[in-house]
Amino acid sequence: MNKLPARVKLVDVGPRDGLQNEKQPVPAAVKIDLVHRLQAAGLTEIEVTSYVSPKWVPQMADNHEVMQGIQRRAGVRYSVLTPNLKGFEAALADRPDEIVVFGAASEAFSQKNINCSIAESIERFAPVVAAAKAKGIAVRGAMSCTVGCPYEGEVPPSRVDYLAGLMKGIGVEHVGVADTIGVGTPKKVQAAFEATFKHYGVDQVSGHFHDTYGQAVGNTLAALEMGVWQFDASVAGLGGCPYAKGATGNVATEDVVYLLHGMGIDTGIDLDALIDAGAYISQQLGRPTNSRVARAVLAKRQG
Amino acid sequence: MNKLPARVKLVDVGPRDGLQNEKQPVPAAVKIDLVHRLQAAGLTEIEVTSYVSPKWVPQMADNHEVMQGIQRRAGVRYSVLTPNLKGFEAALADRPDEIVVFGAASEAFSQKNINCSIAESIERFAPVVAAAKAKGIAVRGAMSCTVGCPYEGEVPPSRVDYLAGLMKGIGVEHVGVADTIGVGTPKKVQAAFEATFKHYGVDQVSGHFHDTYGQAVGNTLAALEMGVWQFDASVAGLGGCPYAKGATGNVATEDVVYLLHGMGIDTGIDLDALIDAGAYISQQLGRPTNSRVARAVLAKRQG
């Protein structure tokens, strides 16, 4: 474990990626409250909302209201998803620190999810990336299905290499290696990172794991061992798995923080305050938390 | 990941360690059926039952009935817990392949759990170990609280070193490094193994992780990276956590098998048959499985 970073930055994607995939709608005030609780717990990067058609993603129709309602904290970056130029222009008024574009490493997933090929999706993102850079807004490229795809099955590293190259080609500065359906295990995840490292340095790459098969903490460890120090996670494990109803989706931020602190890796996050934030949103959703750490700590608090 | 083993042996402790810690009693016939399903799925080592006073552990009062009811399969080893000579003598009639004695790395845990010091517990085990060896029965020493203790908090590796030395001193041939309350993270777990390796070779040491804080798969990976190739796990994650009600206990065998197979490590286990065995016992207990893999696979099977 030589390459282990001393410090890790976590991006909480719960308000956007998480809540978008929860069935129950959540009022804007609750989302704003969640963001406030996350930043109070020490999160310095929060994926807040998405600028897409409310016809497709009604859960994010309140994007302006949420972004305008946040009391911004110095040192915290607020990112938003803008899949096209229309979305990007709508987002501008809300002054995001970073925009996120999504591409898939699997052709089948790209077709089924956004109705175009990988190459076409990149063409569509190119003007968004250029516009963001012109405005001095950072750009993150989320690469989905880098290990497995619900339609194609296993995704070889060569597809990740291809996608990362396309992202680099349109000027995306940072890419996330996502195991969208949680099927990855450590060696496969490391292979996806290796393919990405052909185009990006370790400081420009983050990991995004789902815990559907209980492997997210192990995959995080495997990425840490490669020197990766930036990860997405979702408070309370918000967001289910759309490909296996009732199964777990995004890894819970609490569980990743527990891993990191246990290994002496600094995150700047107050785990107890984070657990409280997760308990708050879980209560709002009327369902138990998906974080094992939160479950254990809350059980112990109750005696 | 140089030291990764090519093959791993898993010991399913569900019938004993798991069911002993489930509130709901399970009939002997169901336990026997579970053992049959586990061996049919390819498990070659099963911790079946315990020979302790039914006053203390009523769940295991049917030890003879269960052991006598099993249709033994060639190549499968059946282990039982025998904490004292009386228990060992009771077990003899049932021809166990291996007996298990338990010691704690934490003084407070030893006192609270078995009402004596660590040194006293070892004195009590010594004649059991000698008697087993005289009969040609293998002996495993389970070392509990090797990372953390519900009463003392963090347990330093020096205490594991001490306990492993005592185990070695009375002739215990194999020891298990157990994170009984699931608080361990990879570096702490590796330190517990390092302390154990002062007394035992890697082939004489197994890992036993609890998933209470969601770290068991990561800890398994950390142990694999040290060359450890023997692990306990519990089908369906049977056995809760007595120190945090509602929290997860033993790591689910399914989740460990998924990790191993995903890394190309052979276990000889048919994961689908194992998931069926876990679904069977979960249904008998009237509760959902604690295996994330099983949850995802069962959800997908239902479409």
Side-chain angles (χ1 to χ4, degrees):
Chain A
M1 298 200 184
N2 298 326
K3 283 189 179 178
L4 287 179
R7 189 181 163 82
V8 155
K9 186 186 80 178
L10 293 179
V11 181
D12 203 294
V13 299
R16 203 289 302 170
D17 189 14
L19 291 180
Q20 179 170 328
N21 291 300
E22 293 283 341
K23 266 176 211 121
Q24 197 174 322
V26 170
V30 171
K31 294 178 184 176
I32 293 165
D33 203 359
L34 176 60
V35 170
H36 289 166
R37 286 166 189 258
L38 289 173
Q39 62 193 18
L43 266 299
T44 56
E45 193 150 331
I46 301 170
E47 193 177 282
V48 177
T49 188
S50 181
Y51 295 81
V52 287
S53 165
K55 208 167 58 184
W56 296 107
V57 186
Q59 299 94 324
M60 298 289 128
D62 56 6
N63 43 30
H64 287 298
E65 189 182 350
V66 172
M67 281 294 278
Q68 296 289 341
I70 295 169
Q71 296 194 338
R72 295 203 177 191
R73 204 179 172 108
V76 178
R77 299 174 75 225
Y78 305 88
S79 57
V80 303
L81 187 64
T82 60
N84 53 44
L85 212 47
K86 193 178 160 199
F88 173 75
E89 279 157 7
L92 270 183
D94 297 329
R95 300 178 297 113
D97 297 293
E98 184 176 62
I99 61 146
V100 184
V101 294
F102 270 76
S106 144
E107 271 310 338
F109 192 85
S110 185
Q111 288 290 354
K112 293 232 180 191
N113 202 41
I114 50 176
N115 207 26
C116 65
S117 72
I118 296 168
E120 283 162 355
S121 73
I122 293 291
E123 276 173 46
R124 196 182 293 171
F125 298 145
V128 181
V129 175
K133 295 181 91 163
K135 297 275 181 189
I137 299 170
V139 178
R140 178 156 52 94
M143 305 196 296
S144 61
C145 297
T146 61
V147 185
C149 163
Y151 311 112
E152 283 182 8
E154 201 148 324
V155 171
S158 59
R159 302 307 298 166
V160 181
D161 178 352
Y162 170 70
L163 177 61
L166 292 177
M167 288 275 190
K168 185 81 178 182
I170 59 167
V172 170
E173 297 145 347
H174 179 110
V175 287
V177 175
D179 178 14
T180 309
I181 55 170
V183 294
T185 40
K187 281 166 96 171
K188 291 177 187 172
V189 162
Q190 289 191 336
F193 278 103
E194 268 160 29
T196 306
F197 290 158
K198 291 186 186 175
H199 307 280
Y200 289 90
V202 70
D203 294 341
Q204 282 79 50
V205 176
S206 53
H208 176 113
F209 303 120
H210 280 221
D211 210 20
T212 318
Y213 293 80
Q215 307 297 309
V217 167
N219 291 338
T220 302
L221 177 59
L224 288 168
E225 289 177 351
M226 298 181 89
V228 176
W229 59 274
Q230 298 172 89
F231 297 92
D232 296 349
S234 178
V235 65
L238 289 179
C241 176
Y243 307 100
K245 279 170 198 169
T248 314
N250 286 298
V251 67
T253 314
E254 297 92 320
D255 297 5
V256 178
V257 169
Y258 187 94
L259 168 77
L260 296 167
H261 290 187
M263 296 181 78
I265 298 172
D266 185 25
T267 65
I269 293 168
D270 176 338
L271 180 55
D272 281 314
L274 179 63
I275 289 169
D276 291 339
Y280 164 77
I281 190 64
S282 298
Q283 195 173 26
Q284 293 291 330
L285 289 166
R287 66 145 174 85
T289 177
N290 271 329
S291 159
R292 296 198 171 193
V293 166
R295 221 179 299 157
V297 170
L298 295 171
K300 280 183 76 178
R301 279 190 200 164
Q302 287 170 0
Chain B
M1 298 199 185
N2 298 325
K3 284 187 174 179
L4 286 179
R7 190 182 163 80
V8 156
K9 186 186 80 180
L10 294 179
V11 181
D12 203 294
V13 300
R16 202 290 300 172
D17 189 14
L19 291 181
Q20 180 172 325
N21 291 302
E22 293 284 342
K23 266 177 212 122
Q24 196 175 324
V26 170
V30 170
K31 295 177 183 176
I32 294 165
D33 203 1
L34 176 60
V35 169
H36 289 166
R37 286 166 190 260
L38 289 173
Q39 61 193 18
L43 266 300
T44 55
E45 193 150 332
I46 301 169
E47 193 176 281
V48 177
T49 188
S50 181
Y51 294 81
V52 286
S53 166
K55 208 167 57 185
W56 295 108
V57 187
Q59 298 95 323
M60 298 288 130
D62 56 5
N63 42 30
H64 288 300
E65 190 183 350
V66 172
M67 281 294 277
Q68 296 290 339
I70 295 169
Q71 296 194 336
R72 295 205 179 190
R73 205 180 172 108
V76 178
R77 299 174 75 225
Y78 305 88
S79 58
V80 303
L81 187 64
T82 61
N84 54 41
L85 211 47
K86 193 179 161 199
F88 174 74
E89 279 156 7
L92 271 183
D94 297 331
R95 299 177 300 112
D97 297 293
E98 186 176 61
I99 61 146
V100 183
V101 294
F102 269 77
S106 144
E107 268 314 334
F109 192 85
S110 186
Q111 287 291 354
K112 294 233 182 192
N113 203 41
I114 50 175
N115 206 27
C116 65
S117 72
I118 296 167
E120 283 162 355
S121 74
I122 293 291
E123 276 173 45
R124 194 183 294 171
F125 298 146
V128 181
V129 174
K133 294 180 94 164
K135 298 275 184 188
I137 299 170
V139 178
R140 177 155 52 95
M143 305 196 297
S144 61
C145 297
T146 61
V147 184
C149 164
Y151 312 112
E152 283 182 10
E154 200 147 325
V155 172
S158 59
R159 303 305 300 167
V160 182
D161 179 353
Y162 170 69
L163 177 61
L166 292 177
M167 288 277 190
K168 185 82 177 182
I170 59 167
V172 170
E173 298 145 345
H174 179 109
V175 288
V177 175
D179 178 15
T180 308
I181 55 169
V183 294
T185 39
K187 282 166 99 170
K188 291 176 188 173
V189 162
Q190 289 190 337
F193 278 102
E194 268 159 28
T196 306
F197 290 157
K198 292 186 185 174
H199 307 280
Y200 289 90
V202 70
D203 295 340
Q204 281 78 50
V205 176
S206 53
H208 176 114
F209 303 121
H210 280 220
D211 210 20
T212 318
Y213 294 80
Q215 306 298 310
V217 165
N219 290 338
T220 302
L221 177 60
L224 288 168
E225 289 178 351
M226 299 181 88
V228 176
W229 59 275
Q230 297 171 88
F231 297 92
D232 295 350
S234 179
V235 63
L238 290 178
C241 176
Y243 307 100
K245 279 169 196 170
T248 314
N250 287 297
V251 66
T253 315
E254 297 92 320
D255 297 6
V256 178
V257 169
Y258 187 93
L259 168 76
L260 296 167
H261 290 187
M263 297 180 78
I265 297 172
D266 185 25
T267 65
I269 293 168
D270 175 339
L271 180 55
D272 280 314
L274 179 64
I275 288 169
D276 292 339
Y280 164 78
I281 189 64
S282 298
Q283 197 174 24
Q284 293 290 330
L285 289 166
R287 67 147 176 83
T289 179
N290 271 329
S291 160
R292 296 199 171 193
V293 166
R295 222 179 298 156
V297 170
L298 294 170
K300 281 183 74 178
R301 278 190 200 165
Q302 285 169 3

